[in-house]
Each structure stands twice: as structure tokens, then as C-alpha cells.
Amino acid sequence: MAKQTKTAKTKESFEMYLYGIIGRDMDIDTNELIRTIEAKRKEGVRSFRFYVNSDGGEVAQGSALFNYLDRTDVDITWVVDGIAASMMAVLITNPKHHVMAARHAKFMYHRVSGYVYGNSDETRAAADMMDSFEKTLIEMTASRIGRTPDETRNLYFDGVDHWLSADEAVQAGLCDEIVNTSMNIKELEQITDARSAYNFYNNQIINLKQQKMDEKAFATALNINL
């Protein structure tokens, strides 16, 4: 699913929902996705927002999208609606990208896994290939959180599944901010005097009006009894 919007500065942006499994001819086929992004980029779109709910999928497909976005002159924002697990969790680790998550979203990291059929030589070769892919994924993740590959391996690629809440992902550096999915009200910590109090509540009223709330919801958000 995708939609194209325009910001107040007339800079075009493009939104897509990346829900499902990453893989060729699957829910998120990155071959098709890259063609779509490239076509929009050539039309002048420079800002992309991807909404995510994915268990992961094929490492090769995810890596191709990671590398394409890394070398392409576009602004990327990821919004984790549900889960970003396995390959999807690593796909969104580019430090150039902005990562947001819903309050109850989850992130999951683990070692590369797969199925192998063949003789002992073929099995060893497949294991070596998996190790090579995993080394790359660890380096991707390490660049996001500012740790060494060895530290990152011990944290998230040590043989067990590591599930992180949105708060934990922010603390780890894997997510930049949490999206308030109900009411866009900022904390009061910025208020230091009467002028800042006025500015604070005036901005919240503007934000709430933009959300097109009805009168009751508007009053509830501002803690007003009708």
C-alpha cells in the first residue's frame, strides 16, 4: 500500500506500508519495492516514510534494499507499527535514517538461520555463507548503536532471540523516538515561566485542531471537564 503526499513546503513525500515477510514474490519483494522507490525518486520525491510490521525474511533481499537506500539521495523515516524482527530489524539500522516506533511496538534481533540440504561439503559451505551474511548484519547494527561488532554480537547475535520494547530500543540507540499514537501532547518539562506556559498550550491546541478531534476528545486531551 502506498500514498503520495505534499508537505507545506511543496516537497513531495511518499508513504508505503511494509507489512509481512521480506522475500522474492512475498509480501515485501524488495526487487519490486526498489523499482517503485526509484521511479518516485526520478519524479522528484526525496522523502519516504515506511510503516513497518514484519517478522523479517530473506537476508539477501533485505540487504539489497539496505544498500540501495544507503547510496540513494533520499530521506528515509521508518515507523514501526507492530514489530520489526530479524531481517527487518536490521534493515532499519542505517544511522542516516530516522526510526520511530509506536508505544507498544517490538524489535527482535537474533542470529541468521536457514535450511540446508546436501552433502557435508555443501552443508559446510552453506554454514560459511550464513556466517558471512551474519557478519554483515552485525556490522550494520553496530554502526547504528555505536558499538564494536564483537559487542554487538554479544548483545543481539548470541544464539537467542532478543525482544526489545520501544523504550528499550530507544535506550539502545536502535530507535530515535516513540510515536504517541493517541494524543500528540508534549511533556511539561519545557515550561519555565508564564510565556513558555502560554506557548506550550497554544501549540498543543494547534496540534489537536490539526488532528480534527471532536469537542469531547479535545477537552479530554487538555484535561478540561465539559
Side-chain angles (χ1 to χ4, degrees), residues 19 51-54 78-85 92 99-109 162-170 175 177-181:
Y19 280 28
Y51 295 91
V52 170
N53 184 35
S54 172
W78 301 92
V79 182
V80 182
D81 285 336
I83 65 172
I92 67 178
V99 179
M100 307 167 69
R103 170 62 62 185
H104 302 297
K106 293 290 186 288
F107 296 66
M108 192 275 280
Y109 303 83
H162 292 273
W163 286 93
L164 280 68
S165 67
D167 283 322
E168 290 169 334
V170 170
C175 178
E177 62 176 301
I178 296 174
V179 181
N180 189 333
T181 55

Side-chain angles (χ1 to χ4, degrees), residues 59 62-64 66-67 87 90-91 93-95 133-145 152:
V59 174
S63 297
F66 182 100
N67 292 330
M87 186 62 229
V90 178
L91 177 56
T93 58
N94 191 321
F133 273 119
E134 186 171 278
K135 180 176 181 292
T136 300
L137 300 189
I138 290 171
E139 291 172 352
M140 291 177 184
T141 308
S143 68
R144 173 83 194 189
I145 62 177
T152 304

Side-chain angles (χ1 to χ4, degrees), residues 88-153:
M88 179 57 79
V90 178
L91 177 56
I92 67 178
T93 58
N94 191 321
K96 297 192 302 184
H97 299 170
H98 190 71
V99 179
M100 307 167 69
R103 170 62 62 185
H104 302 297
K106 293 290 186 288
F107 296 66
M108 192 275 280
Y109 303 83
H110 62 183
R111 298 197 66 187
V112 172
S113 60
Y115 298 95
V116 180
Y117 176 82
N119 59 41
S120 59
D121 289 336
E122 292 169 329
T123 302
R124 292 188 187 94
D128 289 341
M129 180 184 68
M130 290 170 63
D131 286 342
S132 177
F133 273 119
E134 186 171 278
K135 180 176 181 292
T136 300
L137 300 189
I138 290 171
E139 291 172 352
M140 291 177 184
T141 308
S143 68
R144 173 83 194 189
I145 62 177
R147 291 181 177 269
T148 67
D150 285 342
E151 289 173 333
T152 304
R153 182 188 300 277

